[in-house]
Amino acid sequence: MDSASLQPSLYTVKAVFILDNDGNRLLSKYYDPELYPSMKEQKNFERNVFNKTHKADNEIAFLEGLTIVYKGSIDLFFYVVGSAQENELMLMSVLNCLFDSLSHILRKNVERRCLLDNMDGVFLVVDEIIDGGVILESDPQQVLQKVNYRADENPLSEQSVAQVLQSAKEQIKWSILK
Amino acid sequence: RPRVASDPVAFSHLGSGSNPFQHLEKSAVLQEARIFNETPINPRRCLHILTKIIYLLNQGEHFGTTEATEAFFAMTRLFQSNDQTLRRMCYLTIKEMANISEDVIIVTSSSSYVFPMLSPQTTMLQAIERYMKQAIVDKVPSVSSSALVSSLHMVKMSYDVVKRWVNEAQEAASSDNVMVQYHALGLLYHLRKNDRLAVTKMLNKFTKSGLKSPFAYCMLIRIASKLLDETEGGHDSPLFDFIESCLRNKNEMVVYEAASAIVHMPNCTARELAPAVSVLQLFCSSPKAALRYAAVRTLNKVAMKHPSAVTACNLDLENLITDSNRSIATLAITTLLKTGSESSVDRLMKQISSFVSEISDEFKVVVVQAISALCQKYPRKHSVMMNFLSNMLRDDVNESVCLWLGGFDYKRAIVDCIISIIEENPESKETGLAHLCEFTRTATRPFAQVRKKGTAQNFKSAVSALAKFGAQNDDLLPSVLVLMQRCMMDSDDEVRDRATFYMNVLQQKQKALNAAYIFNGLSVSIPGLEKSLHQYTLEPLEKPFDMKTVPLATTPISEQKTDIAPVATSKLPERLAPSRQDIYQEQLAAVPEFHGLGPLFKSSEPVQLTEAETEYVVRCIKHTFARHMVFQFDCTNTLNDQLLQKVLVQMEPSESYEVIHYIPAATLPYSQPGSSYTLVRLPDDDPTAVSCTFSCTMKYLVKDCDPNTGEPDDDGYDDEYVLEDLEVTVADHIQKVLKPNFAAAWEEVGDEFEKEETFALASVRTLDEAVGNIISFLGMQPCERSDKVPENKNSHVLFLAGVFRGGHDVLVRARLALADGVTMQVTVRSGEETVVDVILASVG
């Protein structure tokens, strides 16, 4: 951790990613072209970060020369990555905005299955918060207004009983396995 | 359009398992994308497909240019849809695919959107200039923000064009919206950063106008810091005042940014630091981990230059040393180490060692750096530090090759630290170098340092240790070879020779070679080798040089010390004083009758054949050759009135050993020892007959003489004197050889002639006793420290190694069990079957 002073720049976020509780990538965006340019490097980085954070539940970590703020929810992990000298609170504001916006879209079910079922909304939310590494928006309300996404409403009325039972079985199976 | 339960696409992911995207196939998805061309557009289904495409891209799926362009053009239809989400997903997909399809530009807008340029060239940029300028000053904040950020991205491509939009950006900066302020400021700074005057003006304007955006404030603080730094302005400037005032901002993010900026300024006085430090102190007790972390990290920086400024926070830092976030705890401890007293060092070190294995490598570097500083401050603590550091190193010896090859900073930091400790504290030199030598297995930098600082001997052993690691680990081998190559250019002859030797052996990549030359090394006597080689060069034979003709060293090569020989002759080389055996070899070679015997295999320890205080004192040394034995009887006449002449020792063997020749000692005056030799041939017909008992009688001509002059009085008479029996045992046929890696040697010898037998040791009560007996009986070298039996054990395995007369490696593995007496299962391996039989027969 060197003490080089920060260059004034809007480019504050180096990467954002969402992993499941096995460390598999569900979504990831890398904004710094010099940071892990290849897929292999990215996946290695994500694995390394996952290994060091998923048990700790500590909110902030410093790995591979980068500051990483993170949050876990049920079976998901959210990460925002900045440089070692970045203002940690700035990164936290991005993380919080991301989490709160997703929480709203997913109707508080911030867990894997629900996330995957609403992946389009998730992509849009991320796109509204960070643009090319620049923090675009930090207020979840604003994000939600822009995204204006509605998750599947009243699903029960449109599913057959069989399909409801099937999906219920899946949910139970996965909650037991957790 | 209401969703229908039977709609396969919409519900295809239900019940498909844990991940609806799990089994996506790119070609299938692109196939599905054909529905984009349908009329009317089905927004739900199109949305699903776009989501799948983005997901695939995100997972690293590669889309070819043709595929991408086709899908791309199909998507453009979707912009016509009324469904806003669909349009926006469409835009997002295009953006994700923009890298692939380079030629396309899309600029459209919806009521709330500006779609930025995709891979444009400057001329194209000009085409949309008017559009961008309008968008930047749009009253809708999201449009303005998008335009400003897009413009920022475009600066990289064409600074000159974007520069023309400065006025619009300036206007946008006066927006009420906090994000627009931030983006406008950012763009303006990027456009103006090379013009210090313009930046100063801008800064003045904004610091007075009272922005609302905390992000914008952070940006201003950074710009102000940079200006201060560049102009080397004194801290009584308005810029500093502005930053200082931000310490009182409502938003924690801004407060922290200001504190951090002040702390990082060069030439800060204690007075200037104080308000920043007290703010950080408050943050130490925040419930937010990120804030505690930020605070303690920054305080750590302060402590490096201004430890006294931080002492006020010691109590708060103490509270953090047990923080569940180990990064925070580590930073707190290392800060305290810088600011605390010597007496707190032990306690803090103890605290850190309780969790140092949990922390990341980056933090390990922090710890090591703190220790480094500490050692300079408290030199008396250097041994505590050194132990801690070497424990850290040792813990990572088993880590993967990637770390080794990657040369992780913290390992380098540890090495640097140890070296600086050595430089500062001469007393620590030995332990420090020892740690570094051990560490040469796992790092590259120490080699150069050990080379400079250590003795040549240490470094040579480092080279050998390195070779062992290369031989043991295929993963490490390439790196080891690289290091060996460097050593091959070393200034020291022996280092070069060792490196070249190991390099050649390692490159063969054969386990047998590694076992013979790297793990267990040479066991021959060096002067003996030198002699044999010299002999060989003088009289070259048809056959290649045979190592087996070289006598073995009585002690392992690395331990050959300069023995005080009983008879030292000055013509022996000075470089390496020979061992006992080499001297005997010389002496025996001087006797013409012994010329055809070949090299001396082994000489035993002297065996007393007379009791103490007798008239004649005789001891015997048994010299073993390939097919003969020479018994050297050192006799001393203790009677001052006698002169003995033609003294020899007659031997009567119990087995089929054949006495061939006697070489008497010519004369034995009072108190002057002399030697007489008996040459005996070993039995040819029964190779297992290694043991024999000889009854010995000394025969001589005795003359009475004058005690004062020693002159004989008379002609004398023949007499004899009975000596004790002399035993020849299997041990006399075996030379001890230490195999540092017994397992490798065991494998190398192979099991072709392996035999095994179990024995009950009737008269032995303890394992210790059994082990001692068998070692002394067989005369073999215990390996892997197996001569030590741990306490309270009922079983033990003993590893013995040796070479049998004739140059045959022999290895013994003895499993002992203690249960009503001692049972022993002996397994013997050798390259020669008779040898195995001999050993087993002897034990029996």
Side-chain angles (χ1 to χ4, degrees):
Chain A
M1 293 203 290
D2 61 288
S3 54
S5 57
L6 212 47
Q7 283 297 323
S9 166
L10 289 187
Y11 294 100
T12 50
V13 181
K14 294 218 177 259
V16 138
F17 46 93
I18 304 177
L19 305 179
D20 70 9
N21 58 355
D22 293 322
N24 296 318
R25 171 196 282 195
L26 299 175
L27 177 152
S28 85
K29 302 282 298 171
Y30 287 79
Y31 301 110
D32 180 348
E34 283 164 38
L35 183 73
Y36 308 127
S38 75
M39 186 59 58
K40 186 160 178 258
E41 287 169 297
Q42 290 176 8
K43 294 258 165 107
N44 279 343
F45 175 61
E46 285 157 32
R47 194 178 329 119
N48 189 25
V49 170
F50 179 76
N51 287 338
K52 296 262 166 69
T53 58
H54 75 280
K55 281 178 274 189
D57 193 30
N58 265 323
E59 198 176 290
I60 186 162
F62 178 68
L63 292 162
E64 300 195 26
L66 299 161
T67 304
I68 300 156
V69 296
Y70 61 99
K71 194 173 171 117
S73 167
I74 306 179
D75 54 0
L76 292 173
F77 292 90
F78 300 83
Y79 300 89
V80 176
V81 180
S83 85
Q85 298 88 29
E86 193 52 73
N87 184 323
E88 291 86 346
L89 295 184
M90 215 180 256
L91 297 174
M92 281 303 294
S93 73
V94 172
L95 181 67
N96 289 333
C97 181
L98 175 65
F99 188 84
D100 293 342
S101 308
L102 287 179
S103 183
H104 191 97
I105 284 191
L106 303 175
R107 292 167 190 259
K108 311 255 193 237
N109 296 330
V110 186
E111 46 103 28
R112 182 169 175 256
R113 188 51 196 273
C114 200
L115 188 97
L116 287 168
D117 283 346
N118 294 285
M119 212 55 202
D120 44 359
V122 178
F123 286 132
L124 289 173
V125 160
V126 172
D127 191 57
E128 285 299 333
I129 298 176
I130 309 158
D131 182 340
V134 177
I135 302 174
L136 208 44
E137 184 56 70
S138 65
D139 180 354
Q141 288 305 316
Q142 294 295 322
V143 173
L144 291 165
Q145 258 187 19
K146 288 189 217 176
V147 169
N148 199 19
Y149 177 85
R150 276 190 209 97
D152 295 342
E153 280 177 304
N154 303 318
L156 263 105
S157 61
E158 292 182 298
Q159 289 173 15
S160 70
V161 173
Q163 268 157 335
V164 169
L165 284 175
Q166 177 67 9
S167 89
K169 260 198 274 186
E170 290 295 332
Q171 300 279 18
I172 293 167
K173 178 171 90 174
W174 286 107
S175 63
I176 290 170
L177 287 176
K178 269 173 223 157
Chain B
R1 180 179 180 277
R3 285 200 315 183
V4 173
S6 60
D7 186 332
V9 175
F11 293 100
S12 64
H13 58 272
L14 283 177
S16 68
S18 55
N19 182 345
F21 298 100
Q22 200 165 350
H23 302 295
L24 282 185
E25 238 211 289
K26 180 185 67 172
S27 45
V29 171
L30 287 175
Q31 187 88 311
E32 281 183 80
R34 291 203 188 145
I35 67 158
F36 294 167
N37 294 316
E38 281 176 12
T39 312
I41 293 169
N42 180 333
R44 281 239 80 80
R45 287 178 66 180
C46 292
L47 203 53
H48 272 306
I49 295 163
L50 290 175
T51 311
K52 289 190 230 182
I53 292 175
I54 297 182
Y55 189 87
L56 279 172
L57 284 166
N58 211 232
Q59 291 293 332
E61 183 69 60
H62 177 72
F63 282 65
T65 321
T66 329
E67 295 175 307
T69 316
E70 279 175 7
F72 193 83
F73 278 107
M75 275 177 231
T76 54
R77 274 201 81 221
L78 301 178
F79 282 123
Q80 297 163 22
S81 166
N82 290 328
D83 188 313
Q84 192 191 45
T85 307
L86 177 60
R87 285 202 308 272
R88 297 177 52 244
M89 276 303 282
C90 191
Y91 155 67
L92 199 56
T93 316
I94 290 171
K95 213 166 65 152
E96 295 290 319
M97 293 176 84
N99 306 336
I100 312 157
S101 230
E102 285 204 348
D103 300 328
V104 184
I105 306 165
I106 294 188
V107 183
T108 67
S109 71
S110 68
S111 59
S112 62
Y113 250 88
V114 171
F115 286 34
M117 293 284 289
L118 307 168
S119 316
Q121 294 156 25
T122 313
T123 47
M124 296 183 189
L125 202 57
Q126 284 168 333
I128 59 148
E129 196 169 346
R130 187 172 68 102
Y131 186 80
M132 290 302 291
K133 282 179 169 185
Q134 275 180 348
I136 288 173
V137 295
D138 197 299
K139 289 291 163 241
V140 177
S142 54
V143 174
S144 177
S145 272
S146 296
L148 287 164
V149 175
S150 305
S151 307
L152 183 64
H153 297 328
M154 290 179 214
V155 167
K156 287 177 230 146
M157 299 166 214
S158 178
Y159 174 85
D160 293 327
V161 174
V162 181
K163 185 104 181 40
R164 299 203 283 259
W165 311 341
V166 140
N167 293 334
E168 282 74 17
Q170 190 75 50
E171 198 183 312
S174 51
S175 158
D176 283 339
N177 182 287
V178 296
M179 293 318 287
V180 174
Q181 285 177 8
Y182 175 56
H183 299 140
L185 179 61
L187 179 61
L188 285 169
Y189 178 74
H190 277 282
L191 291 174
R192 286 171 172 160
K193 63 183 176 190
N194 296 324
D195 181 349
R196 202 177 293 162
L197 194 57
V199 172
T200 317
K201 273 171 73 174
M202 182 179 81
L203 210 54
N204 283 337
K205 177 167 184 277
F206 283 120
T207 53
K208 291 196 182 84
S209 67
L211 294 169
K212 289 190 292 183
S213 162
F215 290 101
Y217 265 105
C218 289
M219 187 70 185
L220 283 174
I221 290 169
R222 291 181 196 184
I223 297 171
S225 306
K226 182 131 199 287
L227 267 182
L228 271 175
D229 197 41
E230 280 174 354
T231 61
E232 285 162 31
H235 294 171
D236 51 359
S237 86
L239 289 173
F240 185 84
D241 292 338
F242 165 68
I243 298 175
E244 207 260 346
S245 71
C246 290
L247 289 173
R248 296 179 282 280
N249 193 288
K250 300 184 293 197
N251 190 306
E252 283 172 334
M253 187 168 75
V254 177
V255 173
Y256 173 65
E257 186 77 43
S260 182
I262 291 173
V263 156
H264 283 104
M265 280 181 206
N267 314 319
C268 233
T269 66
R271 200 172 60 86
E272 287 160 350
L273 279 174
V277 169
S278 55
V279 140
L280 294 171
Q281 184 179 0
L282 279 171
F283 285 162
C284 283
S285 35
S286 163
K288 295 184 206 161
L291 200 46
R292 293 198 305 276
Y293 174 87
V296 78
R297 175 170 82 84
T298 317
L299 282 173
N300 193 15
K301 293 266 168 59
V302 180
M304 282 185 210
K305 290 213 193 106
H306 304 269
S308 46
V310 179
T311 25
C313 304
N314 277 0
L315 202 55
D316 308 87
L317 289 170
E318 286 279 350
N319 287 335
L320 290 179
I321 67 178
T322 49
D323 197 298
S324 59
N325 184 316
R326 291 315 195 188
S327 310
I328 294 176
T330 308
L331 286 166
I333 293 178
T334 51
T335 311
L336 283 169
L337 284 173
K338 291 186 185 103
T339 64
S341 62
E342 187 169 358
S343 54
S344 61
V345 168
D346 288 334
R347 176 176 62 89
L348 291 169
M349 293 297 290
K350 198 158 168 227
Q351 180 73 20
I352 254 196
S353 30
S354 68
F355 62 78
V356 74
S357 52
E358 294 168 35
I359 63 181
S360 68
D361 287 341
E362 286 83 355
F363 277 104
K364 285 179 182 161
V365 178
V366 171
V367 172
V368 172
Q369 286 168 343
I371 290 172
S372 194
L374 211 56
C375 280
Q376 295 187 9
K377 204 169 153 195
Y378 302 123
R380 286 183 298 182
K381 292 284 174 195
H382 76 258
S383 56
V384 172
M385 303 300 164
M386 200 83 92
N387 274 341
F388 182 83
L389 289 173
S390 69
N391 283 338
M392 278 178 81
L393 276 182
R394 204 168 297 134
D395 285 344
D396 290 306
V397 160
N398 294 323
E399 286 201 27
S400 73
V401 176
C402 317
L403 291 177
W404 193 94
L405 287 177
F408 256 63
D409 286 337
Y410 94 89
K411 282 200 169 88
R412 266 204 280 273
I414 294 179
V415 171
D416 286 341
C417 190
I418 293 179
I419 287 167
S420 62
I421 294 175
I422 294 172
E423 278 170 346
E424 300 289 320
N425 296 281
E427 318 91 78
S428 66
K429 190 168 176 194
E430 229 182 274
T431 33
L433 282 178
H435 287 310
L436 282 180
C437 277
E438 194 186 303
F439 183 56
T440 53
R441 306 179 234 154
T442 56
T444 59
R445 172 120 190 279
F447 256 71
Q449 293 302 329
V450 173
R451 193 70 197 88
K452 268 194 285 179
K453 302 242 164 247
T455 61
Q457 192 51 43
N458 271 346
F459 188 64
K460 286 165 202 162
S461 50
V463 173
S464 300
L466 188 72
K468 285 191 177 127
F469 270 72
Q472 270 176 334
N473 294 283
D474 288 331
D475 302 337
L476 290 181
L477 186 58
S479 328
V480 166
L481 287 174
V482 167
L483 285 171
M484 281 299 170
Q485 268 189 316
R486 276 193 225 163
C487 294
M488 276 165 71
M489 296 180 284
D490 195 273
S491 52
D492 181 285
D493 288 343
E494 199 187 321
V495 170
R496 283 204 305 278
D497 292 340
R498 283 199 189 201
T500 313
F501 172 73
Y502 287 131
M503 183 85 172
N504 285 319
V505 174
L506 286 171
Q507 279 173 331
Q508 306 287 330
K509 294 189 192 185
Q510 288 184 39
K511 283 208 180 332
L513 288 179
N514 287 352
Y517 296 115
I518 294 178
F519 293 126
N520 294 315
L522 294 178
S523 41
V524 296
S525 142
I526 291 177
L529 178 60
E530 191 191 341
K531 254 234 178 77
S532 303
L533 284 170
H534 185 63
Q535 194 73 18
Y536 184 77
T537 56
L538 289 176
E539 304 161 44
L541 303 173
E542 303 261 314
K543 308 177 296 175
F545 181 73
D546 186 2
M547 276 293 264
K548 292 210 173 116
T549 64
V550 182
L552 295 168
T554 49
T555 51
I557 286 294
S558 56
E559 290 165 23
Q560 269 187 1
K561 299 190 186 82
T562 55
D563 271 6
I564 312 294
V567 178
T569 54
S570 56
K571 64 182 170 154
L572 290 168
E574 287 167 80
R575 253 192 319 130
L576 192 73
S579 64
R580 267 175 75 239
Q581 186 158 313
D582 300 315
I583 293 175
Y584 289 139
Q585 169 100 33
E586 292 265 344
Q587 290 174 336
L588 293 169
V591 178
E593 285 86 341
F594 299 153
H595 274 176
L597 299 182
L600 175 61
F601 176 74
K602 179 181 177 171
S603 299
S604 75
E605 292 296 314
V607 179
Q608 296 294 341
L609 296 179
T610 56
E611 284 171 45
E613 313 294 332
T614 49
E615 306 101 300
Y616 311 119
V617 176
V618 179
R619 65 174 203 173
C620 177
I621 298 164
K622 300 172 272 184
H623 301 291
T624 314
F625 290 83
R627 277 177 296 283
H628 298 83
M629 285 187 82
V630 169
F631 298 93
Q632 171 181 333
F633 297 95
D634 294 333
C635 312
T636 311
N637 168 19
T638 68
L639 301 173
N640 60 1
D641 59 348
Q642 279 188 357
L643 175 69
L644 303 185
Q645 289 180 331
K646 298 189 200 150
V647 181
L648 59 85
V649 175
Q650 186 180 64
M651 298 171 81
E652 297 281 340
S654 62
E655 310 291 331
S656 53
Y657 282 58
E658 193 189 328
V659 177
I660 300 185
H661 197 73
Y662 292 104
I663 296 172
T667 171
L668 271 185
Y670 164 66
S671 195
Q672 280 179 29
S675 298
S676 130
Y677 299 94
T678 309
L679 175 63
V680 168
R681 187 192 190 76
L682 296 169
D684 276 334
D685 46 5
D686 183 6
T688 61
V690 291
S691 313
C692 185
T693 310
F694 293 85
S695 49
C696 301
T697 318
M698 194 168 98
K699 292 193 163 163
Y700 48 94
L701 179 70
V702 56
K703 294 179 179 174
D704 292 322
C705 66
D706 180 345
N708 299 315
T709 62
E711 291 294 318
D713 294 339
D714 54 23
D715 292 327
Y717 53 93
D718 288 322
D719 202 358
E720 60 178 52
Y721 186 78
V722 174
L723 305 171
E724 306 211 1
D725 285 345
L726 180 68
E727 296 281 340
V728 170
T729 64
V730 67
D732 292 313
H733 299 262
I734 299 183
Q735 180 67 282
K736 289 183 182 204
V737 166
L738 177 66
K739 297 284 186 194
N741 188 331
F742 188 83
W746 190 254
E747 284 306 312
E748 199 213 340
V749 169
D751 60 1
E752 194 186 341
F753 301 116
E754 178 183 295
K755 287 190 188 170
E756 196 172 270
E757 261 191 64
T758 307
F759 305 93
L761 305 179
S763 55
V764 177
R765 291 273 149 257
T766 66
L767 289 179
D768 255 328
E769 204 186 323
V771 165
N773 285 355
I774 205 178
I775 290 174
S776 59
F777 177 71
L778 285 179
M780 291 172 74
Q781 174 71 38
C783 300
E784 311 278 358
R785 293 197 238 276
S786 56
D787 50 335
K788 305 267 179 289
V789 180
E791 283 184 41
N792 303 323
K793 290 277 293 253
N794 291 336
S795 65
H796 187 66
V797 184
L798 178 63
F799 299 113
L800 299 171
V803 175
F804 193 82
R805 171 175 54 82
H808 307 291
D809 272 327
V810 56
L811 302 170
V812 169
R813 183 184 67 203
R815 291 203 171 102
L816 298 129
L818 178 68
D820 266 2
V822 178
T823 338
M824 180 169 72
Q825 181 195 59
V826 177
T827 317
V828 186
R829 282 192 183 186
S830 175
E832 185 66 42
E833 193 174 2
T834 43
V835 174
V836 177
D837 293 334
V838 164
I839 302 289
L840 283 175
S842 310
V843 177

